Amino acid sequence: SKQWYQRRVRALESGEKRESLLLYSGWWGVARHFHYLPEILLAFFWSVPAGLTHLMPFSYTIFLVILLVHRSFRDDAKCKAKYGVWWDTYCTHVPYRMIPGIF
């Protein structure tokens, strides 16, 4: 059977050991930050009733896209620093950041 997670054990400065799991099955295997996509879509569909003739109603959606795309890069950098080679392996299993097949 296919393994759907990576187990990582690390020692803290106090000597205590912590275990982390990097999951890549189910929703975790679709994209690394897939949960950002529904939030962006919600903001978009919340703006649609205002009409498509002006940009102003979509300013929150535009802001949110910029914020969450930038955040996905920051999160990946933090995870790379935390998990090291385990993160590289995780990224080979889950190659997309937010939108499967696109980004």
Side-chain angles (χ1 to χ4, degrees), residues 35-90:
H35 58 286
Y36 293 167
L37 186 58
E39 191 169 342
I40 292 168
L41 289 174
L42 177 67
F44 174 77
F45 288 117
W46 193 13
S47 303
V48 167
L52 301 173
T53 58
H54 297 287
L55 189 61
M56 189 58 169
F58 296 93
S59 60
Y60 175 66
T61 305
I62 294 165
F63 166 76
L64 196 61
V65 167
I66 293 167
L67 176 87
L68 293 179
V69 167
H70 181 259
R71 185 175 176 184
S72 74
F73 284 97
R74 287 191 338 245
D75 288 351
D76 280 3
K78 285 181 184 179
C79 288
K80 171 69 177 163
K82 179 178 179 180
Y83 295 108
V85 295
W86 288 282
W87 186 253
D88 295 333
T89 304
Y90 175 74

Side-chain angles (χ1 to χ4, degrees), residues 4-41:
W4 49 272
Y5 67 91
Q6 294 180 92
R7 185 179 308 271
R8 177 185 178 266
V9 178
R10 64 186 171 103
L12 301 176
E13 291 178 7
S14 65
E16 180 184 350
K17 290 189 177 184
R18 290 279 168 93
E19 181 179 46
S20 298
L21 293 178
L22 287 170
L23 303 173
Y24 42 86
S25 70
W27 290 113
W28 293 279
V30 173
R32 294 191 298 269
H33 306 284
F34 183 70
H35 58 286
Y36 293 167
L37 186 58
E39 191 169 342
I40 292 168
L41 289 174

